[in-house]
């Protein structure tokens, strides 16, 4: 069970641009693609969670590919796809936890 304080902290994490960038870098995503995603409007973990699908549902590979194509004008590398899918899954998990 999450306390009110814990819920507020988790909510601020999923809406934090700094946390988003940090998690993407930790996962291994390059700065150039992170910047492209931000310019495309995906600036928080919450936005990433919804940009690739519905939280609680499997993340289709084509949604990751389409996100990178829209943001960067090219297909993602296998490493980029894996990093984004992992981070998107974590984001959706955080988001689902805050909504319960």
């Amino acid at each position: 069970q999450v306390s009110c304080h814990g819920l507020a902290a988790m909510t601020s994490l999923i809406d934090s641009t700094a946390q988003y960038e940090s998690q993407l870098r930790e996962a291994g995503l390059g700065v150039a693609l992170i910047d492209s995603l931000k310019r495309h409007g995906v600036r928080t973990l919450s936005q990433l969670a919804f940009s690739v699908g519905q939280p609680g549902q499997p993340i289709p590979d084509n949604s990751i590919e389409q996100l990178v194509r829209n943001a960067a004008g090219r297909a993602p590398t296998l490493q980029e796809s894996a990093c984004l899918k992992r981070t998107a899954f974590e984001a959706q998990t955080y988001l689902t936890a805050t909504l319960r």
Side-chain angles (χ1 to χ4, degrees):
Q1 191 173 31
V2 177
S3 69
C4 289
H5 177 70
L7 182 61
M10 199 177 297
T11 300
S12 68
L13 285 178
I14 63 172
D15 292 322
S16 164
T17 299
Q19 182 65 29
Y20 169 74
E21 292 177 30
S22 175
Q23 278 197 243
L24 287 175
R25 282 194 310 271
E26 279 182 33
L29 207 64
V31 173
L33 184 52
I34 294 171
D35 288 346
S36 292
L37 290 167
K38 287 173 21 187
R39 279 191 303 275
H40 193 64
V42 183
R43 297 180 183 98
T44 67
L45 291 170
S46 180
Q47 290 170 340
L48 178 64
F50 282 104
S51 70
V52 296
Q54 180 73 24
Q57 300 293 317
I59 299 169
D61 291 333
N62 65 339
S63 67
I64 298 289
E65 182 175 342
Q66 193 60 50
L67 176 65
V68 174
R69 283 191 184 281
N70 289 342
R74 60 172 179 79
T77 66
L78 184 58
Q79 186 253 357
E80 290 170 335
S81 290
C83 291
L84 279 168
K85 198 167 197 177
R86 174 186 168 192
T87 306
F89 174 78
E90 291 171 354
Q92 288 182 345
T93 301
Y94 293 148
L95 190 61
T96 301
T98 63
L99 297 175
R100 288 188 179 177

